[in-house]
Amino acid sequence: MERLGRKPRRPWRYSDEQLLSEVRRVAGLVEGPFLTTTEFEKRSCITVTTLHKRFGPWRTVLGQAGVFEMYTGMTGNEIRYTHDELVRELRRVAQLIKKPVLSEPDFTKLATISVDCIRRRFGSWREALEGAGIGEMYSGKKPSPRPVSYYTDKTLLAEVRRVARLIEKPPLTRAEFRKRCDINPDTLTRRFGDWRIVLERAGVPHMYSGRAISDLKRASRRFTSDTEVLDLIRHAATQTGGNHLTYEVCRKLTGLGTSTINRRFGNWKGALEAAGLSAEGVPKHYTDEECFENLAAVWKHYRRPPNRRQIERPPSVVGGHVYMKRWGSWPEVLEAFLEWTDGGQAAQPPVDGDRRFESWRSALAAVGLPRGRFTRLHTDEECFQNLADLWQRYGQPPSAKKLNLPPSKISAGAYQARWGTWCKAVEAFVLWADATHLPPPTDGTQQFGSWKSAGFDRATERKVPRRYTEEECFQNLADVWTHYGRQPSSSKLNLPPSKVRLGVYLGRWGTWPKAVEAFLEWAKSTSSSR
């Protein structure tokens, strides 16, 4: 059995002539005029990465192998044009255009040669203009002639004004500046401040399009002591019209980060106390009774059960996240609240116009659940009855996907949230059907004695991956080896004509070289000539 290189346990080492011969062999098998990397890997066990590491880009590989005409990156026009013809075309268009800059879109409008042809021949648009002797007409990013730290403030501002003149209309963004200059915009912002200040210092403030930054927020970047930080917090509290200041509002006004507050004062409450402000806005741990009393007050305010968004607004003093974290969902919050009111601990039921209710439950029944995005709390009996209706309709156990389609009234998520998996939900349903003596379904021709005999096994069965024998794995490897004419790489096992995936070999033998070694021993023992 012929194979190139050393034992499979070690990386193979191909000579340059062997690699180029393989390229020429595959080139003879390709029916079309081009040889791409994808076509090469389909017909060879040598990866393209090996060729790139040895010779460089794909065009160089084909050139070394003597089949450069099969390179797709070079069109027929590029082969037809000589270097002098391309240079003459660049100079001709440069004379026709009435601009100090020759861009690729302008060249496309006036030239008879495509820009792609120019770029492939010269390497880049800048090198093309320099090769034609018109390098001064290049407006893009140029190599830096000296370290950035050498630039003075005057030089940096002059560079900003130069780029501003190249742009036909504002704004001048950091991204546009980066395209036309070799100086990083971060260098300018570190030297002068934010981007708006850079444009103001350069005399082009009208080119700024960003959002205006308040002086208070800009000042937060220059504080050095705890006193200045506390002054910023007090100033922000004054702007809000009171001493109840939250961290979110303070961060928007001052730009103070969480790390700054925690590093200097421990937490937000400590910062407020150090600034002499009230810490009532800091989240506290509410008891269940306080949460329910707050919900009763909001209910009376809106004269109906509040939804998730209304509990976030005044007169509510407890945030919605407190309820959701403690009870899970908003319907469960209302259910817990009604159980609390049944104990007689709540105030009088709400009044809706002329209607007076005897209890909070009757008020909820008369008004209905609040509008909002939440899942209705279905009882186990409702879930099982819905499943029985679908089973009768389809004549077999429905899949989880069927629950999300009409006529199902309960989605699959409700079953999975309650029982964990769909199989466990079906098992619970069968136990409930046997306990309630629910009549089993019929499929039109057969009457089943129980729900389990009606297809319970089909509803709970799981797909088990097929387990291949060692002989099947070795026979598949032999077929792939014969297809490629040499030992295949591990990636070939995931492509036709292989019928066994690479993961099967790795799971059984650990590594690909060990699998190949085991195959060679099997082939030797069975005296098979592959």
Side-chain angles (χ1 to χ4, degrees), residues 471-522:
E471 186 174 359
E472 290 176 334
C473 295
F474 292 147
Q475 187 61 44
N476 175 75
L477 180 55
D479 296 339
V480 177
W481 197 314
T482 305
H483 175 76
Y484 290 105
R486 52 176 54 87
Q487 176 184 330
S489 61
S490 58
S491 60
K492 302 298 183 182
L493 271 298
N494 294 326
L495 301 175
S498 176
K499 299 178 181 179
V500 183
R501 297 183 63 83
L502 174 64
V504 178
Y505 293 89
L506 298 182
R508 183 162 301 182
W509 287 282
T511 61
W512 175 239
K514 291 182 179 180
V516 175
E517 185 177 1
F519 165 73
L520 295 177
E521 294 178 357
W522 172 81

Side-chain angles (χ1 to χ4, degrees), residues 57-79:
W58 186 242
R59 62 185 299 173
T60 306
V61 174
L62 297 182
Q64 291 283 345
V67 289
F68 185 70
E69 65 278 358
M70 301 189 71
Y71 177 60
T72 59
M74 178 174 288
T75 62
N77 291 335
E78 185 175 350
I79 299 175

Side-chain angles (χ1 to χ4, degrees), residues 299 304-305 349-351 355 357-368:
W299 192 323
R304 62 180 297 114
V351 179
R355 293 189 297 177
F357 304 102
E358 297 180 356
S359 64
W360 291 85
R361 286 188 180 274
S362 61
L364 178 62
V367 180

Side-chain angles (χ1 to χ4, degrees), residues 330-359:
W330 191 243
E332 293 179 354
V333 172
L334 296 179
E335 183 64 26
F337 170 74
L338 294 178
E339 293 178 357
W340 176 75
T341 59
D342 293 341
Q345 304 177 13
Q348 293 297 325
V351 179
D352 186 9
D354 298 334
R355 293 189 297 177
R356 295 182 177 274
F357 304 102
E358 297 180 356
S359 64

Side-chain angles (χ1 to χ4, degrees), residues 25-161:
R25 184 189 70 83
V26 177
L29 299 176
V30 176
E31 298 178 356
F34 302 115
L35 175 58
T36 63
T37 55
T38 304
E39 293 292 336
F40 179 82
E41 289 196 337
K42 287 181 179 179
R43 296 170 170 81
S44 176
C45 64
I46 300 176
T47 62
V48 177
T49 305
T50 303
L51 298 173
H52 287 328
K53 291 181 179 179
R54 186 71 61 88
F55 302 104
W58 186 242
R59 62 185 299 173
T60 306
V61 174
L62 297 182
Q64 291 283 345
V67 289
F68 185 70
E69 65 278 358
M70 301 189 71
Y71 177 60
T72 59
M74 178 174 288
T75 62
N77 291 335
E78 185 175 350
I79 299 175
R80 187 177 70 236
Y81 294 115
T82 63
H83 179 79
D84 295 338
E85 290 176 341
L86 297 178
V87 170
R88 284 197 298 268
E89 183 66 13
L90 286 169
R91 294 174 180 174
R92 184 186 68 83
V93 176
Q95 294 177 357
L96 293 177
I97 193 171
K98 298 180 180 180
K99 295 181 181 179
V101 175
L102 177 57
S103 62
E104 295 183 17
D106 294 337
F107 179 82
T108 304
K109 295 178 182 179
L110 302 175
T112 58
I113 303 176
S114 66
V115 175
D116 295 336
C117 180
I118 298 293
R119 295 177 66 90
R120 281 193 294 266
R121 182 64 65 87
F122 291 92
S124 65
W125 183 246
R126 179 180 61 84
E127 295 175 351
L129 295 181
E130 292 178 354
I134 50 175
E136 67 279 359
M137 300 189 71
Y138 178 67
S139 62
K141 188 176 180 180
K142 300 180 181 180
S144 177
R146 51 189 174 182
V148 178
S149 59
Y150 183 81
Y151 290 112
T152 62
D153 294 352
K154 185 177 180 180
T155 305
L156 294 175
L157 297 177
E159 188 67 13
V160 175
R161 289 189 289 267

